[in-house]
Amino acid sequence: MRFRVIQYESLPEDLEQRLHQNCEVTRVDSLSLMQGEEFRLVLAEAEGLIGVGQKVGPEILDLAPKLRVASTISVGYDYFDVDEMTRHKVMLMHTPDVLTETTADMIFTLILCAARRAAELHRMVKNGEWTSIVGPEHFGSDVYGKKLGIVGLGRIGSAVARRAYNGFNMEILYHNRKVSEEAEALFNGSYCSLDELLSESDFICLVLPLSDQTRKIIGPAEFDKMKPEAFLINGGRGPVIDEQALVQALQRGKIRGAGLDVYECEPLPLDSPLLNLPNVVTLPHIGSATHETRYAMAECAVDNLLGALQHRSTRNCVNPGVA
Ligand code: DGY
C-alpha cells in the first residue's frame, strides 16, 4: 500500500528513495496555503507530512481530512499546534535521542567560546589587530571548576551536565519540573529554585522547549538576579528569553556575556543589537547541525513516518493517545 505524503524538506538521497518506495510523494518548498488551489488538492488527499520548520495548525489540518501522521525532522515541535493535531487525530512524531550528544557539544562550545571570548579574539586576529601580547582587556573567564546552572534538565541538559561534571569539574545546579534522582548519581546535580540558580550560577544554561510556560521565562527581573560575572547560554528556543531585556543586561554590564544559538526571530535580523555586542557569541541555530546527526534525524523522521502510517510503531510520538 502506498501512502500519499507531502514532503516539505529535502532528505538524503537514500532516504528519499525509501520514502518514494513506500509513498506517493508530493514535494513542496513550504506548507504555505498561498501556493494556491493545487496545493489544497494535495492536502485534501495527504495521509502524511514530513519536513521541518513550518507552522501546522488548524488552517492546514482543516484542509487535510485524511492526514494521520506528521513527522518533524526535529526534536522541538513548537511549530505544531499539538492540541489541534490531537483533536484532528493526527499523530505528531519527532526525533529525540539522536541529536542529544551533538547538541550538548554545541552548547559546550558556546560556554567555552563565551567565557574565553574566542569568537571576538578570533575576529581580532583575522582583522590583523593582534599587534602585541594580549593584556587584561582581552582576558576571559575560567570555566573549569565553576558553577553551572541548567534550566531544563531533559536529555540534552543532562548531557551538558555530564560534560561539565566529568570534564570540567563543575558544580551542577539544575531547575526542572521535577527532581531527578539520576542527576545526583550521574553528576552530583543539586535541584534548586529558578531564583537560587540564577543568583548562584557562573554559567546559566537554558535548554528549554518553547511553551506558554517557558516563553520569556528570562526577563528583566531574572537578569537582576544574576551575578555580574555570569554568562547566559541558550541552546533551546530563542523566545524563552526576553531578547530586549538581554540586550539591556549586556549593555549595562548586568551579566558578563552570552552565548546564543537561538533567537526570538530567526534568521537574526540584520538590525538586531545583538550583532554589535562584542560579549555575545551568535551561532545560527546549529545545535544538531552535523552531517552525522542531521542524517540520523532524517532517518529517524522517515522511520517514524512509515512506522506510524503502517501501524507498526508509535515510538517518538508526541501525542500517543491518538494512535
Ligand atoms: C530541533 O531538533 O528542535 C533543533 O532545534 C533543530 O530544529
Side-chain angles (χ1 to χ4, degrees), residues 175-195:
H175 179 72
N176 206 27
R177 272 173 305 189
K178 47 185 194 287
V179 176
S180 155
E181 279 170 24
E182 259 202 351
E184 201 179 335
L186 289 179
F187 38 80
N188 201 21
S190 308
Y191 179 87
C192 59
S193 70
L194 182 59
D195 284 358

Side-chain angles (χ1 to χ4, degrees), residues 76-143:
Y77 46 84
D78 39 296
Y79 279 101
F80 294 85
D81 184 332
V82 181
D83 290 341
E84 279 297 318
M85 308 226 23
T86 304
R87 198 170 72 75
H88 284 78
K89 301 208 174 345
V90 178
M91 291 169 72
L92 173 59
M93 318 296 289
H94 71 145
T95 65
D97 302 319
V98 292
L99 47 61
T100 300
E101 301 302 334
T102 300
T103 307
D105 284 349
M106 186 283 303
I107 290 173
F108 229 89
T109 305
L110 284 176
I111 293 174
L112 291 170
C113 240
R116 301 304 303 270
R117 302 170 62 180
E120 183 190 346
L121 298 180
H122 163 88
R123 253 191 321 269
M124 179 183 97
V125 176
K126 292 278 183 174
N127 290 343
E129 292 160 6
W130 182 28
T131 50
S132 62
I133 212 164
V134 299
E137 70 277 18
H138 294 126
F139 289 173
S141 307
D142 277 344
V143 173

Side-chain angles (χ1 to χ4, degrees), residues 52 73-76 95 99 236-237 285 288 294 297:
V52 66
I73 313 170
S74 62
V75 65
T95 65
L99 47 61
R237 285 294 183 262
H285 199 147
S288 60
R294 282 293 166 87
M297 289 167 71

Side-chain angles (χ1 to χ4, degrees), residues 161-205:
R162 274 193 279 109
R163 282 158 176 74
Y165 180 70
N166 293 314
F168 291 81
N169 195 29
M170 294 176 92
E171 188 181 329
I172 313 293
L173 305 179
Y174 72 95
H175 179 72
N176 206 27
R177 272 173 305 189
K178 47 185 194 287
V179 176
S180 155
E181 279 170 24
E182 259 202 351
E184 201 179 335
L186 289 179
F187 38 80
N188 201 21
S190 308
Y191 179 87
C192 59
S193 70
L194 182 59
D195 284 358
E196 216 177 314
L197 182 147
L198 297 176
S199 61
E200 288 196 14
S201 302
D202 300 302
F203 295 88
I204 296 157
C205 191

